[in-house]
Amino acid sequence: MTTDTTLSAADAVFEAEQAVSRARWVVEELQETIGSALRVLDDAELDSAKAKLSERGSFYLEAAGEHLGRLHTRCNDMPDLTRDLFVHLNRASQSVTDARNLLDLADTSDPVIASEVAQLKPRIAVVGEMVALAKPVAQLAAQHVETAHRASRDVTALGLLEPVSLERSIATAGKELGRADEDVRLLGNVVDHAAASARESAGIASEITDNARRRMAEQSRDPVPSASLPTTRSPSR
């Protein structure tokens, strides 16, 4: 049962590492999407300003309208990304809890197992702490992402014909995207720390798995002791 418990704990650590890695990928996607949305918003604002000053006003208005279409596409993607992020963070949190519970059940009377568990427990604890810290930051980022998403809907092609309204909408969308960008950058740092600790934990868990399987193989190769046969005495002379 001890070997089964340590193997199950290792599996939970591997699941946590995978979930944190996926969360990190989503954070990177969010950073790229928000950065792209901010650049598109700047381009739309610039073309809108050019439309007022240039004889080619209709050309720049059309270009600004195309930028707004790209802005909406990027902002529409962000809520789905934040939902995926929470799925991965929650999975990582549950896997860390499972691993810690299983490690608590491990029989540490064997010094080798005791050493392995002692190495793994603090590393997986750090992963849990980082994931717990990431959740409220992710929640704040999700709120600003949703606000930016709503604000982007007010930045419309029709608004290009109403400069004051458009500038107000662009400013609001830009402010919320900027806040979301700051949150996601902070979140990226936290998830990076979680990912580094998760990789270290997975490395230790791999050693535990290898050692556990080696012990199981050695036990299966041990010959089963046979019953002692009665000693036959030589007849007395």
Side-chain angles (χ1 to χ4, degrees):
M1 285 298 294
T2 297
T3 300
D4 290 343
T5 300
T6 53
L7 286 174
S8 296
D11 286 343
V13 172
F14 296 142
E15 289 177 6
E17 194 270 339
Q18 289 178 354
V20 173
S21 295
R22 287 171 182 158
R24 188 170 180 269
W25 178 83
V26 173
V27 170
E28 291 174 356
E29 283 286 298
L30 265 173
Q31 287 177 325
E32 291 177 7
T33 302
I34 292 172
S36 177
L38 283 167
R39 290 191 295 274
V40 169
L41 194 62
D42 287 342
D43 289 341
E45 187 175 21
L46 180 60
D47 281 337
S48 177
K50 287 180 179 178
K52 303 174 195 173
L53 304 172
S54 171
E55 295 178 355
R56 302 174 63 200
S58 59
F59 169 80
Y60 286 115
L61 280 176
E62 183 178 351
E66 291 175 356
H67 291 316
L68 295 183
R70 287 194 290 274
L71 172 67
H72 296 156
T73 298
R74 285 156 179 74
C75 288
N76 287 341
D77 290 341
M78 291 191 296
D80 288 338
L81 288 172
T82 56
R83 280 192 289 271
D84 289 345
L85 176 61
F86 281 109
V87 168
H88 298 315
L89 288 177
N90 288 333
R91 182 184 162 212
S93 181
Q94 184 59 56
S95 296
V96 166
T97 299
D98 292 344
R100 294 172 73 172
N101 290 339
L102 287 163
L103 290 173
D104 286 339
L105 295 174
D107 180 2
T108 54
S109 59
D110 183 329
V112 175
I113 295 175
S115 174
E116 293 169 342
V117 170
Q119 290 181 68
L120 186 53
K121 271 189 172 181
R123 299 316 309 160
I124 198 67
V126 171
V127 178
E129 290 168 3
M130 289 296 101
V131 171
L133 180 59
K135 284 185 177 182
V137 180
Q139 186 62 51
L140 188 60
Q143 290 172 2
H144 285 140
V145 160
E146 181 55 35
T147 306
H149 183 216
R150 290 198 301 268
S152 74
R153 296 174 191 160
D154 295 331
V155 187
T156 63
L158 287 176
L160 293 171
L161 303 176
E162 303 174 12
V164 175
S165 173
L166 178 67
E167 288 171 8
R168 187 183 303 116
S169 298
I170 286 177
T172 300
K175 180 176 68 175
E176 293 303 328
L177 283 170
R179 287 175 175 173
D181 186 51
E182 291 175 4
D183 294 338
V184 173
R185 288 180 187 279
L186 174 58
L187 180 61
N189 291 333
V190 176
V191 174
D192 281 347
H193 285 301
S197 295
R199 283 192 298 272
E200 291 179 11
S201 299
I204 297 171
S206 289
E207 293 178 9
I208 289 176
T209 299
D210 291 343
N211 291 336
R213 287 175 178 160
R214 190 178 303 114
R215 285 193 295 271
M216 291 169 67
E218 289 170 354
Q219 290 169 3
S220 66
R221 287 197 300 268
D222 286 343
V224 178
S226 57
S228 299
L229 294 175
T231 304
T232 304
R233 294 188 179 185
S234 301
S236 302
R237 295 184 179 225

